[in-house]
Amino acid sequence: MSDKNEVEVLPLRAFKDNYIWVLRNRRYAAIVDPGDAQPVLDFLQHEQLELCAILATHHHADHVGGIAALLARQRVPVFGPRGEPISTLTHPVGEGDTAAIPQLGLRFRVLDIPGHTRAHIAYYGADSLFCGDTLFACGCGRLFEGTPPQMVNSLTKLAALPDETLVYSGHEYTMANIGFALEVEPDNEELKARAARDAQTRKDGRPTLPSTIGREKKTNPFLRCREPAVIASANKYLGARASDPVQVFAAIRQWKNAY
Ligand SMILES: [Zn+2]
């Protein structure tokens, strides 16, 4: 996030492993995916901040469950996917739309990234990506409502963002994801180095997020379905000879579900 307008991004923990992301300056805060209102209300009060916007990435309760309680305290714009049933949205948005937060001097471009849910969106701006449950550190969301081709398209779209883009995902799943990624690519040196680094980060009690698009491209098997090592592992799992990225993706997604 640029320091020009002194906006800081920080996580609030919710439930078992959710992150509610807060974008704040000295006076205002915008909240991404408030599955629970209480940690947000506590934070706003503690920091003496005024809520100015809510951004939702998809309709799952652990991402939107706290919105109504936040709005009961204060009416603010609520951005979220046009194609999903979220009753609290005031600004339904989709691909190409903008989510503007003037109080923070921020504008995000909305990207359609279906797959985890049927109309999941991401917010991209200020060198940052808020991508909910689509792209995780070293992993990706389960396909609850979408298909492998949709998810591959969505992940390809995110992988095309600049390498330095900061990736803010909705859950701290990193170490479990890295464990699986090492099964797929046991010889990936970048991945092994990342495993050691992120294990230390967790040991220190810190979030492994944000990641970056560049780091994900080097270590996340779901973004590496064209890599020979990933193709070979997928085929070993399948007992087949697939090379199409969608087939490779579907194989490692299925493998991970059973892992
Ligand atoms: Zn979800």
Side-chain angles (χ1 to χ4, degrees):
M1 216 41 51
S2 84
D3 335 280
K4 267 203 313 260
N5 50 29
E6 296 169 44
V7 173
E8 188 188 347
V9 183
L10 48 124
L12 302 178
R13 286 160 206 269
F15 310 116
K16 184 162 155 270
D17 47 31
N18 280 74
Y19 287 132
I20 298 170
W21 294 105
V22 180
L23 293 72
R24 64 160 294 180
N25 60 16
R26 284 183 179 188
R27 186 159 164 213
Y28 294 102
I31 309 293
V32 182
D33 283 352
D36 188 8
Q38 202 55 53
V40 177
L41 292 169
D42 292 345
F43 176 81
L44 294 174
Q45 186 179 15
H46 184 260
E47 298 291 315
Q48 297 285 295
L49 294 170
E50 189 179 330
L51 181 65
C52 67
I54 295 171
L55 290 84
T57 61
H58 67 294
H59 70 88
H60 286 160
D62 63 323
H63 294 254
V64 300
I67 295 177
L70 293 174
L71 293 180
R73 304 285 186 99
Q74 194 178 353
R75 305 300 299 180
V76 297
V78 183
F79 298 90
R82 185 180 292 134
E84 294 195 358
I86 305 171
S87 60
T88 44
L89 295 189
T90 62
H91 291 58
V93 291
E95 182 76 29
D97 287 338
T98 298
I101 310 174
Q103 294 90 338
L104 299 176
L106 294 175
R107 292 171 71 80
F108 292 100
R109 182 151 63 88
V110 176
L111 307 173
D112 282 343
I113 49 166
H116 176 67
T117 57
R118 70 168 179 271
H120 196 303
I121 59 174
Y123 300 91
Y124 172 63
D127 302 324
S128 300
L129 175 74
F130 295 89
C131 54
D133 289 355
T134 298
L135 177 62
F136 292 121
C138 248
C140 77
R142 287 174 185 259
L143 305 185
F144 287 118
E145 298 170 11
T147 62
Q150 279 182 324
M151 192 59 144
V152 168
N153 265 337
S154 297
L155 293 173
T156 302
K157 191 188 279 188
L158 299 183
L161 297 172
D163 281 353
E164 62 275 16
T165 304
L166 295 167
V167 176
Y168 295 91
S169 312
H171 292 267
E172 178 65 59
Y173 288 158
T174 310
M175 290 318 296
N177 287 346
I178 288 176
F180 175 75
L182 283 166
E183 292 282 325
V184 180
E185 282 193 281
D187 300 323
N188 181 332
E189 293 302 326
E190 293 268 358
L191 179 58
K192 287 192 252 181
R194 178 177 194 175
R197 238 178 9 245
D198 283 350
Q200 186 60 48
T201 301
R202 293 307 292 151
K203 219 171 125 198
D204 297 343
R206 289 182 290 122
T208 58
L209 296 165
S211 181
T212 65
I213 289 292
R215 195 182 307 159
E216 293 311 313
K217 277 160 49 180
K218 288 180 180 158
T219 55
N220 187 329
F222 295 99
L223 298 185
R224 296 170 59 77
C225 294
R226 287 187 162 83
E227 292 292 321
V230 175
I231 294 172
S233 285
N235 283 337
K236 204 165 147 198
Y237 173 75
L238 280 178
R241 293 173 75 87
S243 59
D244 172 60
V246 172
Q247 282 176 291
V248 171
F249 171 84
I252 58 175
R253 185 59 266 182
Q254 190 190 335
W255 179 7
K256 177 134 198 279
N257 289 351
Y259 184 67

